[in-house]
Amino acid sequence: MSLLIHRHIKTVLFSDKDIKAKIGDRLFPIVAPEGISLYPYVVMKRIGSNPDMSKDGDFETTDVRLTIVGKQYTETVELADLIKKVLIENCEADYKDFMVLDSEFVPSSDGEDWDDVQNCYVELMDFNFETT
């Protein structure tokens, strides 16, 4: 159930004490609140899904982009690396409404940028999640 993938991401990230210590509750769907002043934070956005119905069962591959935003370059990059590691290590989960069967980092998608408006560093990462 690709529409519910945010539950998995939130559960995994908030379960890691190091990530939780860095971002607190600052994990936002689609866009960060206007005027946010606490950093770092993470924005998650579902950017696509592809259903697959086969003899092995029905599942979907859901593409999600995570945007990590911070005031310090090193802090932002290290947080992005930690998030990547934690999401890959916790690639399987069983929830009431759906299952996560696998997760994959999409290496060609990562990038970094500078936000001139907020004066902050931005790390972009895409993941594919296989769900039921």
Side-chain angles (χ1 to χ4, degrees):
M1 185 63 114
S2 66
L3 297 176
L4 302 175
I5 195 63
H6 70 280
R7 288 186 192 167
H8 173 67
I9 295 168
K10 184 176 183 178
T11 298
V12 170
L13 296 186
F14 284 174
S15 294
D16 184 274
K17 65 177 175 42
D18 294 329
I19 292 173
K20 183 72 172 159
K22 292 177 188 297
I23 68 171
D25 292 330
R26 296 182 304 278
L27 173 64
F28 307 109
I30 305 173
V31 65
E34 188 174 331
I36 187 164
S37 60
L38 292 174
Y39 296 86
Y41 64 83
V42 178
V43 175
M44 61 180 164
K45 181 178 182 180
R46 187 172 34 86
I47 56 175
S49 64
N50 183 25
D52 186 1
M53 290 143 200
S54 68
K55 65 180 181 170
D56 297 327
D58 298 343
F59 64 90
E60 283 187 67
T61 301
T62 304
D63 305 321
V64 175
R65 172 160 295 146
L66 296 181
T67 305
I68 296 88
V69 181
K71 288 291 188 179
Q72 305 294 323
Y73 177 77
T74 301
E75 174 188 49
T76 307
V77 172
E78 288 174 354
L79 176 57
D81 189 59
L82 180 59
I83 288 171
K84 174 183 164 186
K85 184 184 308 181
V86 168
L87 283 174
I88 296 303
E89 287 174 357
N90 296 278
C91 64
E92 296 178 3
D94 191 356
Y95 300 95
K96 178 182 172 189
D97 302 326
F98 72 107
M99 290 174 59
V100 178
L101 306 173
D102 197 12
S103 62
E104 177 183 26
F105 173 69
V106 182
S108 62
S109 70
D110 67 331
E112 55 188 19
D113 203 357
W114 172 256
D115 184 321
D116 290 328
V117 175
Q118 294 182 334
N119 293 317
C120 58
Y121 295 95
V122 178
E123 290 290 326
L124 303 169
M125 297 189 301
D126 289 356
F127 292 85
N128 296 332
F129 293 92
E130 188 175 303
T131 63
T132 60

